[in-house]
């Protein structure tokens, strides 16, 4: 639902994180880092999905799971 945080399973394959986004970019999802990742990067979270206008980018592969929510976001 709109305004509520949802949990989803994601498959990351050598995917970079998005470290920042300008104001015109809507952050769709964030990944909470592990303690080890936080120690290495100093970040609690990283951005893993964004949208700007008709463009959407993810740092994971939504097509590799059975969860269709991400694919429905890009459908016309």
């Amino acid at each position: 639902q709109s305004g509520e945080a949802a949990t989803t399973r994601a498959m990351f394959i050598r995917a970079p994180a998005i470290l920042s986004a300008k104001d015109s970019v809507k952050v769709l999802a964030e990944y909470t880092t592990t303690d080890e990742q936080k120690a290495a990067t100093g970040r609690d979270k990283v951005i893993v999905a964004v949208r700007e206008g008709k463009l959407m980018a993810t740092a994971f592969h939504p097509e590799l799971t059975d969860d269709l929510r991400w694919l429905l976001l890009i459908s016309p």
Side-chain angles (χ1 to χ4, degrees):
Q1 291 201 336
S2 180
E4 292 183 17
T7 301
T8 187
R9 193 161 191 75
M11 177 102 38
F12 293 86
I13 302 174
R14 295 184 303 274
I18 303 164
L19 301 179
S20 65
K22 59 185 181 176
D23 291 339
S24 63
V25 175
K26 181 175 181 173
V27 175
L28 301 175
E30 294 178 316
Y31 168 78
T32 303
T33 59
T34 64
D35 290 339
E36 183 178 303
Q37 291 166 331
K38 182 179 177 182
T41 65
R43 297 177 180 272
D44 292 321
K45 295 180 180 182
V46 291
I47 301 167
V48 294
V50 293
R51 176 181 285 262
E52 183 175 26
K54 294 180 179 182
L55 302 175
M56 185 173 79
T58 63
F60 57 93
H61 294 268
E63 74 279 7
L64 296 180
T65 71
D66 293 332
D67 188 341
L68 299 178
R69 290 178 288 177
W70 291 104
L71 299 176
L72 294 173
L73 283 174
I74 61 173
S75 296

